[in-house]
Amino acid sequence: MTLIMGVLNVTPDSFSDGGLWLEPEAAVEHGLQLVAEGADIIDVGGESTRPGALYVAPEEERARVVPVIAELASRGITVSVDTMNAATARAAAEAGAAIINDVSGGLADETMPDAVLETGLQYVVMHWRGRLDAADSKAVYEHTVAEVRRELSQRVTRLLQHGIDPDRLILDPGIGFSKNARHNWQVLAGLPEIERLGFPVLIGASRKRFLGALLPEGAPAVDRDAPTAVVSALAAQAGAWAVRVHDVPSTRIAIDVVRAWQAGRDD
């Protein structure tokens, strides 16, 4: 059944929760809370990827995430590190991380494939066309799903040629990255096409701007948790390996509903 990846941003400037968990003790406490609420994986990130986010030096990124990863992993929690930096990925692996979640798919740091190969961790390869900008200048598609699928396939081919075990790869179609609202909905509706590449698929739509468009103007980001839960349920129904979310309880309930629905159909 679809896993829940709980978001733990150890950053001052993430778009919906920046600064809340910047101190290691607060971050660990929140990670434990996410697990208690039903998260299967905790995704720890030390650099925001929102448009206009400040660059974080690798040393600062490691200082933010490694203590948190080490403490959570020591308690038997499955942890992923949300990073585009190979040195951070290596440090996270040494601290006990099980997954490298790289929104650039190895394009931001050319040494990342080496780190994946050396650590042997699972590796999330996201569809990425470069760092986000306010104008979404890279959000241009003629056939959105086909292009996302092709670009992901090309990236996978390069990683396999590098010697990375295909069983370690997980794909993420990059909801909200170089995509406008229409593109995001097209990718979500086309999830089966992405899955036909033959790899587990992670969906990260939580609290993103395109969901806010469904709400009254000016609604805060936390109000996007309800539509996020619906997306989680539909993604689970479509066979997603995992969903990455800020609010675990609503998504846990949504996925439990899908599980009960499917069990009723199978009886």
Side-chain angles (χ1 to χ4, degrees):
M1 190 60 188
T2 300
L3 302 176
I4 296 177
M5 179 181 282
V7 177
L8 180 50
N9 289 319
V10 191
T11 61
D13 58 341
S14 291
F15 75 94
S16 75
D17 57 359
L20 293 179
W21 326 114
L22 190 57
E23 294 300 321
E25 296 80 6
V28 170
E29 183 178 349
H30 185 57
L32 294 174
Q33 178 184 349
L34 292 173
V35 171
E37 292 170 343
D40 303 289
I41 303 163
I42 301 300
D43 190 45
V44 181
E47 180 180 17
S48 175
T49 54
R50 65 174 177 80
L54 298 175
Y55 170 77
V56 177
E59 297 79 11
E60 174 63 22
E61 183 187 30
R62 291 194 291 276
R64 291 176 180 179
V65 303
V66 168
V68 178
I69 291 170
E71 181 61 28
L72 293 175
S74 73
R75 298 178 185 231
I77 294 169
T78 301
V79 181
S80 61
V81 58
D82 180 0
T83 184
M84 296 185 281
N85 187 285
T88 300
R90 288 188 176 93
E94 292 177 4
I99 302 167
I100 301 166
N101 181 16
D102 179 1
V103 300
S104 80
L107 294 173
D109 184 340
E110 63 182 12
T111 67
M112 182 65 89
D114 291 328
V116 176
L117 196 60
E118 292 163 15
T119 62
L121 300 190
Q122 287 184 286
Y123 184 50
V124 178
V125 184
M126 199 190 80
H127 176 260
W128 194 71
R129 287 182 166 181
R131 293 183 182 272
L132 295 178
D133 57 59
D136 288 332
S137 61
K138 304 177 189 71
V140 178
Y141 302 86
E142 290 187 14
H143 305 285
T144 307
V145 177
E147 290 175 51
V148 169
R149 186 180 188 274
R150 182 177 68 250
E151 290 168 28
L152 274 173
S153 179
Q154 291 169 345
R155 191 68 200 130
V156 165
T157 297
R158 293 294 299 273
L159 293 168
L160 297 180
Q161 289 171 344
H162 201 79
I164 294 171
D165 185 343
D167 291 337
R168 313 309 294 169
L169 298 180
I170 299 160
L171 305 185
D172 180 341
I175 301 299
F177 286 81
S178 299
K179 299 172 186 71
N180 61 30
R182 179 168 172 267
H183 300 144
N184 290 328
W185 290 118
Q186 289 172 335
V187 169
L188 288 169
L191 180 56
E193 287 299 313
I194 306 298
E195 291 176 331
R196 286 192 182 96
L197 289 171
F199 297 91
V201 175
L202 170 66
I203 294 296
S206 183
R207 295 184 180 174
K208 291 189 175 175
R209 182 173 55 186
F210 79 109
L211 297 178
L214 303 173
L215 304 173
E217 186 175 354
V222 293
D223 286 2
R224 301 171 190 175
D225 289 336
T228 296
V230 176
V231 169
S232 296
L234 293 170
Q237 190 174 49
W241 167 77
V243 289
R244 182 180 181 276
V245 300
H246 296 82
D247 183 69
V248 170
S250 59
T251 280
R252 177 79 278 161
I253 292 169
I255 290 179
D256 285 346
V257 168
V258 173
R259 181 184 292 112
W261 187 301
Q262 292 176 337
R265 184 178 59 193
D266 294 339
D267 284 345

